[in-house]
Amino acid sequence: MKKAIVKNGIDRLNEIMPALSGAKIGLITNQTGVDRSGKSSADLLFERGLLACLFAPEHGIRGTVTAGAHVGDCTDEATGVPIYSLYGASVQIPEDVLSGLDAVAFDIQDIGARFYTYTSTLAFAMQDCAKAGKKMIIFDRINPVGALHPEGTVLDMKFSSFVGRFPTATRHNLTVGEYATFINETQAIGCELLVVEVSGWERNMIFEDTDLKWIAPSPNIKTANACFYYLGTCLAEGTNLSEGRGSDSPFELIGAPWLNAEAVAEKMNALGLSGVGFCAERFVPSASKHAGVSCNGIRLLMTDPRIFAPFETALRLFEHIRQTHREFKFLPPQTKGAPCFVDLLLGSDKWRKPDFDIDAFLNEQNEKLRTYENAIKDYYLY
């Protein structure tokens, strides 16, 4: 199949240069912030005399820092400009740094999931810019899982956190530029936004439909297909199941030493869920939960990404494990008095209730998704 020729926002930098002439710009980026030739957005802005500093999100400027680990301030070796962490002591831009800038730019590949933290970093930066009267420039990028429909839950604001700040869907169905315009208005942020749009991409396109080269946006999203799995199996992070960190297939492979993987795979295959199959597979995670211990695993086998429903698939898988394995546990809150982490990921605490009814829950969320989808359509750029 012929692949679509796609230009991300940064590939259109020259088109907006008249509006940026002489500006001092702080850039939020990581290793995914490159143009079609592979040149970094930081270098492109630096060469044009625009780059004043860099801001590092979770995983750092190079995307090598493990999930949740502190990111520190440092100096960029290539350009010599300072790098300020937005995932360390504070998630916000220091006021003294922002006061010396004319604008803040954002160029990171998102993966279309509410709990992927780059959109939270973006939202905090927008609020900082609005407060300081600074412009925010979004170099937009495609949504790699496509953007035809949302999926999952719509976050209950009681569970707002860095892994989901606003009432968006798990599969939020937006590009970062669309996300920014949506929350800017609906959350009354009031930031002056310039979205540099993508060209050549349509909402029905997933990453494999384009001629773009995949660059892992974080250590455990190694392939474009991993974005689909992550939309559902990330929920394992709130349980004592391994989500496959430290294996060759994070989020595609889940398991635990106590899991009856063969029986679970058989049951899940019998459900006939669209676009996916399941097989039992042993693995030994080298990191995170059950590190160094042989695990009985379930590998999800996506057969058709266009009909695969990753959130429903994962929730049905985990709920079956919960009902059939007394060893299954939800992890306790990370800090005393806080919600359980799985509630923050899910955007709801209903899964942990003893009387949880998965079909009733999914039906309830589907009603909310319809309302959400109608609301976001006004902010589509493509």
Side-chain angles (χ1 to χ4, degrees), residues 126 176-186 193 195 379-381:
M126 288 170 58
V176 288
E178 292 172 337
Y179 176 87
T181 55
F182 173 63
I183 65 166
N184 197 43
E185 183 167 322
T186 60
L193 279 179
V195 178
Y379 302 92
Y380 287 176
L381 300 174

Side-chain angles (χ1 to χ4, degrees), residues 187-199:
Q187 302 301 315
I189 293 174
C191 179
E192 181 184 355
L193 279 179
L194 170 61
V195 178
V196 187
E197 297 180 16
V198 173
S199 67

